[in-house]
Amino acid sequence: HAHALPRRHGLQLGSDVAGEPQLVQLSPLEARAQALQRQSHTPADPGHHLHRGALQTKRVAPEEYGGLGLDFSYNIAVAEELGNIRCGGIPMAIGVQTDMATPALARFGSEELKRQFLQPTIAGDMVACLGVSEVGAGSDVANIKTKAVKDGDDYIINGGKMWITNGCQADWMCLLANTSNGPLHKSKSLICLPMKLPGINVTRKIDKLGMRSSDTAEVFFEDVRVPTKYLIGDEGMGFTYQMLQFQEERLWGVAGTLAPMQNIVQETIKYTRQRKIFDQPVLHNQTVHYRLAELETEIELVRSLLYRSVAQYIQGDDVTKLASMAKLKAGRLVREVADSCLQFWGGMGFTNEVLVSRLYRDMRLVSIGAGADEVMLSIICKYMGTFPENK
């Protein structure tokens, strides 16, 4: 369970020829992560066994589809451990499959769809992506414009999606599209969309500030024909299904910040203990060790909020408010940790040679993806009864 995590990878400090403290990375996967940062994507094949190990922990994946039938706390334990990979992109690529693109299919999809899409995705033989965001509709999911119009036994899809993680190499997309002209929250459906169909164009791989080891695509659909049997659940329920998927995505995202924050603090302690300024270690300055103590305290508070949210989610409670609070706090805190610690690294913190600078870039996404901070605040306000009603 989430409170009993696997042992973390070890780290040690060495020194280069100039005597400057330097991190030695002991995990082969971490070395691979550095190479993937330069390639700006995570290839599906080299990550096959990692995908499989993560995906088989899915609570919503019964054994008949290749899963282990475990509860959601195991997903959270995996998300925490993946945070030790020393970059954000690889855990995010895995998380898209475990907690973003597949929960609705596992819960509401037909037997045929689960066999065709879920089972090979769990096995690591297919790569999934989630198609929700658009150029004019990111956090404002209700205003997406992509349409899926019925034509006999098919949907004809037109539109486009933006910021699609795994989009350059995905085998299928969990697509949210308008299937009617009804009310915004009842006019959308989720569809399993094979990515090799005629009319699907991955127009570019987006050059991002961070998460560089994960490919992010812009995708356009022009008269794409897909069978109506690829509909997940009931037509018109897509918005509701996606909101449910968002809860797992957000909790996964929170879990994924814990190890990076902890590692940044610990490596900053090691560095500032060795690095001297004005004839004493940087760490001996009260402003430094007090600040690190504050950050460590905040990290443990986020961990407690996460575990409480997960425990209630497993019990079947509505954790929308708690999950939104956890994501809001984690997104803000990981930025605060990275920024504060980078300052203590001085010039070294401004290079690409240390973990703190990479996570400074990568973790900025937590406050944007899966609903921006402002959206989390709006959700919390709605649950508090303080959000103004539309007139």
Side-chain angles (χ1 to χ4, degrees), residues 105 108-117 150-157 189-194 225-235:
L105 173 59
F108 307 109
S110 67
E111 176 71 18
E112 181 180 355
L113 284 184
K114 291 176 184 178
R115 293 292 180 192
Q116 186 171 349
F117 294 100
K150 268 188 179 179
D151 181 32
D153 292 332
D154 294 334
Y155 286 115
I156 298 178
I157 300 171
S189 301
L190 285 177
I191 300 169
C192 290
L193 180 66
R225 188 174 287 270
V226 61
T228 55
K229 66 181 181 180
Y230 284 8
L231 173 72
I232 296 175
D234 297 326
E235 189 171 274

Side-chain angles (χ1 to χ4, degrees), residues 359-379:
L359 295 182
Y360 180 89
R361 299 189 306 271
D362 284 359
M363 293 297 143
R364 185 61 181 84
L365 181 62
V366 180
S367 285
I368 300 172
D373 282 0
E374 293 73 20
V375 174
M376 298 302 100
L377 287 167
S378 296
I379 293 171

Side-chain angles (χ1 to χ4, degrees), residues 287-302:
T287 188
V288 176
H289 55 252
Y290 273 17
R291 181 59 177 148
L292 293 173
E294 289 175 338
L295 296 175
E296 184 88 357
T297 302
E298 294 284 325
I299 293 169
E300 292 307 316
L301 291 172
V302 170

Side-chain angles (χ1 to χ4, degrees), residues 16 31 33 44 47 75 81 98 117 125 151 184 186 191 195 201 205 219 228 306 313 332 343-344 387:
D16 59 17
N75 281 34
E81 185 60 21
T98 59
F117 294 100
D125 296 326
D151 181 32
L184 292 180
K186 297 181 180 180
I191 300 169
M195 289 293 285
N201 297 299
K205 180 167 70 175
V219 185
T228 55
L306 170 67
Y313 183 71
R332 290 182 170 181
Q343 184 70 21
F344 298 149
F387 195 79

